[in-house]
Amino acid sequence: MVKIKNIHFNNFRNFTNYEILFEKKINILFGENGCGKTNILEGISLNSKGRGIRNSNISNLIKKKENNFLIKNNLEIKNNSFDIEIFSENKNDKLKKIIRVNEDSSKESIDILNKFISYLIFVPEMERLFQASPSYRRNFIDRLIFSSKNNYNSLINKYKKFLLERIKILQTNIVDNDWLNQIEKEICILGLEIFNERDLQVKSINSNFQLLKYDHNFKFNVELKIKDDYFHNQISLEEYIFKLRDLRIFDKKFGGTKIGPHKSDLIAIIDDDFDASLLSTGQQKTVVLMILLSQCNYLVNFKKINPILLFDEIASHLDNYNRQILLDMINRFQIQFFLTGTDKNLFSFVSTNVEFYNITNL
């Protein structure tokens, strides 16, 4: 089990100097809106690659009128203790996030940390997941993939970089066709890999739905699908490259790339009948919690990964059914939970191995 034992903030968001000790499996942070509950989850999430649950610019993480932030925390990984420091550093007039593991910032140390740290995240916007934009749903499915493959974000970033490079080439007066052909080939190789990862992720969620329904009376039957006007499982690299070349004039005119995984969408079919976008906010939350439960089951039982769950403002629209899904996660898995809400009483259904933290009374 991976466990965060404590965390200390210095000049991070609204915290000047603040420390919390985490001794229980379930940690519930409650308090008024704006008191810093989400900031604590964000600080925890910065232990892994990327910019945390908000994907914020580094400058926004630093407390106003200060120059840098520092987060210290102690992690227990397979009964071994790791002291982690996360801080901002100005390099060549650009702020960067730096991580040190036991005072070592080498790639080998960071790789060890990334190997074991995995997060499953819920934020309030997910209650309207299937009414949000396709890009939001793509980010949602990509976060799930990242929870089991910590190098997946590198794949996404490389793909986006080549898309930008292709548009720059198309919009120049003199096009280097050899270079353009090579860029497009790289885009297609990476694009097919992203398509494949998303397809595998969706199949994994759907298969774990089936495994879990034998001992969990799900309110809906849910089937996730990747929707894409061009992609299908049998598309070859050659077909993909041909389609991309055929769209050069169109893409040059409109300044984008018409096809690829950056245009896909994630949809959910309910009871083999209708799209999840027709569900109420509370019902969409049910589907999201089902997906997170399914992914958690996959990580713990098939990948031998113990994720840390960061659920922000989870108590809103938490009817009896959604409460049962959350309790199932808590009772089923030996993993660490961080839950936030405005009132302690909203979590009265969580009765054992829990610690409450009043963040308003800092």
Side-chain angles (χ1 to χ4, degrees), residues 328-343:
D328 189 13
M329 286 191 204
I330 290 171
N331 295 330
R332 186 184 293 267
F333 306 114
Q334 288 304 309
I335 56 180
Q336 195 175 26
F337 291 77
F338 294 88
L339 315 175
T340 75
T342 54
D343 194 318

Side-chain angles (χ1 to χ4, degrees), residues 57 200 216 306 315-316 330:
N57 291 326
L200 290 173
H216 194 294
N306 295 102
S316 65
I330 290 171

Side-chain angles (χ1 to χ4, degrees), residues 188 191-200 203 225-243 259-261 263-265:
C188 293
L192 286 175
E193 191 173 349
I194 294 168
F195 276 135
N196 184 60
E197 291 293 349
R198 288 178 180 167
D199 186 55
L200 290 173
K203 287 177 179 176
K225 294 182 178 181
I226 298 294
K227 180 183 178 182
D228 192 286
D229 293 334
Y230 291 89
F231 173 69
H232 53 86
N233 288 331
Q234 290 77 35
I235 190 171
S236 67
L237 178 62
E238 291 73 23
E239 287 177 289
Y240 195 171
I241 291 173
F242 179 81
K243 286 179 182 290
I259 65 171
K263 295 293 186 179
S264 297
D265 197 0

Side-chain angles (χ1 to χ4, degrees), residues 88-105:
S88 57
E89 187 171 277
N90 196 318
K91 289 188 174 182
N92 300 319
D93 293 324
K94 185 177 181 180
L95 284 168
K96 291 188 175 183
K97 183 187 87 171
I98 308 295
I99 299 179
R100 278 204 295 247
V101 182
N102 293 336
E103 299 185 348
D104 182 7
S105 58

